[in-house]
Amino acid sequence: MLALRTMTLLLLTCLSLPGMAASPTVYGWIEKGLIMPSAVAVKMKLDTGALTSSMDARDLHHFKRDDKPWVRFTLVLTDANTDKVVRQTLERPVERSVTVRGAGGMEQRPTVTLSVCLGDKVYKEWFTLRDRSDMLYPVLIGRRLLAELGPVDSARTFTVQPSCG
């Protein structure tokens, strides 16, 4: 019993020493991330009010492949590092269809899996697709991914640089 108490005390002491315990990364409400695999750098809004992440997608075309729903879409993104517009057409299976309620009413959006890099890690995430050309940020990160990332400080921006390349 004494050995267990000693080990517990030693562990607590180590965790309280500066530099000994890893503190979680605190993200800002706006971060730069990469759309993978092309590694296009974009500004992403970390939105605690949204459950599902969303990405700017144009020219959505629904079709069937092997009797399953798929969608073809074009990403039109301004690279945050070069200011060059990058166009990329992708095809993805539709994971599900989501009904989104907003100020403009209700709409159905396809949800696909895409990978993004935030900090030094690549995350596979569900994204609803919609034309976000009228929005400031082409990518919105919702609570599903935020739960994996960690805390968000609404007073901060650009706390990490993407390094997944």
Side-chain angles (χ1 to χ4, degrees), residues 6-17:
T6 303
M7 291 289 282
T8 302
L9 182 60
L10 180 61
L11 178 62
L12 290 173
T13 301
C14 286
L15 289 176
S16 66
L17 293 174

Side-chain angles (χ1 to χ4, degrees), residues 125-143:
E125 173 67 340
W126 278 357
F127 285 88
T128 61
L129 302 176
R130 79 174 283 257
D131 185 337
R132 294 180 56 84
S133 59
D134 58 339
M135 305 291 191
L136 287 175
Y137 306 103
V139 177
L140 183 144
I141 301 298
R143 291 190 312 269

Side-chain angles (χ1 to χ4, degrees), residues 59-120:
D59 305 321
L60 270 67
H61 174 72
H62 295 266
F63 63 98
K64 296 268 187 184
R65 183 174 286 163
D66 298 326
D67 284 331
K68 295 189 173 147
W70 278 63
V71 66
R72 179 180 306 115
F73 55 96
T74 302
L75 299 179
V76 181
L77 304 166
T78 301
D79 189 298
N81 293 330
T82 65
D83 280 336
K84 291 183 182 177
V85 174
V86 177
R87 292 179 183 273
Q88 183 176 20
T89 299
L90 301 172
E91 293 180 351
R92 293 287 189 273
V94 175
E95 302 289 342
R96 64 189 185 126
S97 187
V98 175
T99 302
V100 178
R101 292 171 188 82
M106 291 173 38
E107 70 175 314
Q108 287 287 120
R109 295 184 194 165
T111 303
V112 300
T113 300
L114 294 166
S115 295
V116 295
C117 167
L118 280 163
D120 61 357

